[in-house]
Structures are given as structure tokens and as C-alpha cells.
Amino acid sequence: MKTPYKNIYKILKLNRFIVLAVVICSLLSSSFSLLMVYNMNKTTLNSVFAINTDGSIIPLKLVTQKENFRVEALAHLELFHTYFYNIDASNYERNLEKALWLGNSSVDNLYRQKKADGVYNRLLQYSLVQKVLSIDSKISENNGEYTFTTTTIFEINRGSIIDTYELVSTGNLIMVDRNFPNNPHGLLITNYFENTLRKIDYESRKE
């Protein structure tokens, strides 16, 4: 007896169903895998892990990019104002050279102006000591542009006389490549300007 052949259309229909089922399962599996990878990546970006002394894993939240920038900016401004204004006859050349790495031509122009006015010659001639007492910086952002206002309190020791001054300076901050140790924070001061300088009583101010 001859075996009857199955209907070719039924066979093709069954094959098409199987192929479609496999394709749909593959798509669902791929979509699920992509979703899991995306969620893992998002979680990883928001968290880092540290190993405790006992071997346990401690999750730590990463600070936002703006918070990172603020910390770097405040440290950069403090470093610059310390180098530029905390000077005496023995260290002024070295400190000013370091300060010039942290700003653009606006800082260099101010340095040249002070030099032409004899500021550093008087420092040498009278053995003056200019010491920074405090640095307070405020940073603001407007459409991606960062500006700062820094209040620097410093004293000038003339031997028997010590005078204290308050300097308010302003400028902008832009991001550049890090250059350790010359520019460790990867920032550059631009449009730097000394706005006001006045003599104060620092002890009364602290109270």
C-alpha cells in the first residue's frame, strides 16, 4: 500500500508558523536583554562600589557633574589666589609663575601691570610679607558659562606695622586639559579683574 502524501500547503503553513514563532521569541529575548543591559548601565553610572576592610561591598553614590565641577572650581580659585597674593621676597617669583599657569592673558596682563607699577620691587626693597588670611569664592552658572566672585583677605607685614586688606576679584572659568602639576584641576581663569581693594580691621570682622 502506498503512503499518502501530506498536503504541501499544510506543511508550508506549519513551517511558516514555526519560523514566525522562532523570530518572535528571538525579538522578545533580544528586547528583554537590551532592557536589562540599559538598566544595569544606568544603575552603574549612578553608583560605584568600594571594598570595605572586612571584604564587604559598599555602594557609593556618585556626585553629579556640576557638583564635581564646583569642587574643582573652588579648589582652583583657592590655589590661584594663594599663589598670586601670598608672596614675599623669597617666594614671589616661584608663586607668581605657578599662578600664571592657572589663568589666561588677563592674569598675565595684571601681573605685568603690577610689575610695571613697582609692586614687586617694593616687596624686595622693604622686605614686605604679604600673607593671605582667607579666600571665599562664589560661583554662578548662566547658559553653561561659569563666573566667579572671590573675596580675598590678606595682610601686609611691614615690620612694625601690619595692615589688612579686602580684595574682591571677578572672572570666568573655562575647562581645559589637565596639566599636572601646573594645572591639576583642568580649569583656566579668564577675564580676571580686581574690582575693589580696601583696608579693613580683620579682627573686628571675625567677631
Side-chain angles (χ1 to χ4, degrees):
M1 175 183 287
K2 293 183 178 181
T3 303
Y5 291 104
K6 293 183 179 180
N7 190 317
I8 187 68
Y9 294 107
K10 289 184 178 180
I11 296 174
L12 292 176
K13 187 176 181 180
L14 179 61
N15 288 341
R16 185 174 63 179
F17 173 77
I18 294 173
V19 171
L20 286 175
V22 171
V23 170
I24 291 172
C25 289
S26 299
L27 288 174
L28 290 175
S29 177
S30 299
S31 300
F32 179 76
S33 299
L34 289 173
L35 181 62
M36 291 296 294
V37 170
Y38 172 78
N39 288 333
M40 288 178 62
N41 183 61
K42 188 175 180 180
T43 303
T44 304
L45 288 175
N46 290 328
S47 303
V48 294
F49 298 91
I51 306 299
N52 200 357
T53 54
D54 59 0
S56 60
I57 298 177
I58 308 172
L60 302 173
K61 287 291 183 182
L62 288 176
V63 295
T64 64
Q65 185 177 4
K66 286 187 178 181
E67 288 174 332
N68 280 333
F69 179 87
R70 177 177 172 80
V71 171
E72 296 272 11
L74 290 174
H76 185 86
L77 292 171
E78 182 169 355
L79 191 64
F80 167 76
H81 287 84
T82 299
Y83 282 146
F84 203 73
Y85 298 104
N86 197 84
I87 54 177
D88 56 41
S90 64
N91 70 9
Y92 83 97
E93 289 183 332
R94 182 174 63 255
N95 280 10
L96 291 173
E97 181 181 358
K98 292 178 179 179
L100 292 176
W101 276 96
L102 307 178
N104 72 345
S105 58
S106 62
V107 174
D108 184 63
N109 290 338
L110 178 61
Y111 159 71
R112 293 178 184 276
Q113 179 185 336
K114 287 177 177 289
K115 187 175 182 180
D117 292 341
V119 172
Y120 305 120
N121 283 337
R122 288 193 293 273
L123 195 74
L124 293 172
Q125 183 177 357
Y126 300 107
S127 298
L128 304 180
V129 177
Q130 184 169 295
K131 180 182 178 181
V132 171
L133 302 177
S134 69
I135 299 170
D136 180 35
S137 297
K138 306 296 182 185
I139 302 170
S140 58
E141 179 195 2
N142 185 18
N143 296 325
E145 181 176 320
Y146 293 92
T147 59
F148 68 86
T149 300
T150 299
T151 302
T152 304
I153 308 295
F154 64 91
E155 65 179 20
I156 299 180
N157 189 327
R158 297 180 172 87
S160 59
I161 301 175
I162 299 178
D163 294 323
T164 306
Y165 297 89
E166 178 188 79
L167 170 70
V168 178
S169 56
T170 57
N172 298 86
L173 285 170
I174 60 174
M175 287 180 281
V176 296
D177 292 336
R178 294 178 189 269
N179 184 345
F180 186 84
N182 297 317
N183 192 335
H185 301 290
L187 295 170
L188 197 69
I189 295 172
T190 64
N191 302 319
Y192 186 69
F193 185 72
E194 293 181 342
N195 289 267
T196 60
L197 176 66
R198 66 186 184 93
K199 189 175 179 180
I200 62 170
D201 184 350
Y202 186 60
E203 294 302 323
S204 298
R205 181 188 174 98
K206 287 195 297 183
E207 294 175 0

